[in-house]
Amino acid sequence: QVQLVESGGGLVQAGGSLRLSCAVSGRTFSSSAMGWFRQAPGKEREFVAGINWNGGIYYADFVKGRFTLSRDNAKNTVYLQMNSLKPDDTAVYYCAAKVLVHSTHPNDYNYWGQGTQVTVSS
């Protein structure tokens, strides 16, 4: 059974930082693409960043220069370092997994974590 477990969310002031982690079990992590999405109340789930099996990384325009995505295949874990956080970044953040190459479309992912709340106060 594939499991994705996010951690690292919380409450932070604007301008602050958080690091989200997503630990994966039950599938071959090294051949997986991982994506981070977020969903704010009343809004659709949106793509934040994705990393391919070979390390290629893609960011949504609204996080470029602020967020950094990385993966540690030895630990079956992907990390999202979030700096210069803004109140608009407030959302539940989800990690997701699919085969090989990331996608910006949530429906393309096969497995999802339970989500972690990120709240940025002004």
Side-chain angles (χ1 to χ4, degrees), residues 46-98:
E46 64 179 353
F47 173 78
V48 174
I51 185 166
N52 295 340
W53 71 277
N54 60 357
I57 299 174
Y58 302 85
Y59 297 99
D61 287 343
F62 57 79
V63 303
K64 285 182 180 176
R66 301 191 298 126
F67 292 9
T68 303
L69 181 58
S70 61
R71 66 188 297 158
D72 185 338
N73 286 349
K75 295 183 178 180
N76 285 9
T77 301
V78 63
Y79 304 97
L80 184 67
Q81 177 67 43
M82 305 187 297
N83 298 329
S84 302
L85 283 163
K86 306 174 182 179
D88 284 350
D89 294 318
T90 295
V92 177
Y93 284 70
Y94 298 91
C95 69
K98 64 183 298 293

Side-chain angles (χ1 to χ4, degrees), residues 2 10 13 17-18 25 32 47 50 54 60-61 72 83 85 92-93 97 104 106 116 120 122:
V2 179
Q13 289 187 332
S17 299
L18 286 172
S25 62
S32 298
F47 173 78
N54 60 357
D61 287 343
D72 185 338
N83 298 329
L85 283 163
V92 177
Y93 284 70
T104 62
T116 186
V120 184
S122 57

Side-chain angles (χ1 to χ4, degrees), residues 19 84 108 111-112:
R19 189 177 82 152
S84 302
D108 291 339
Y111 305 101
W112 290 84

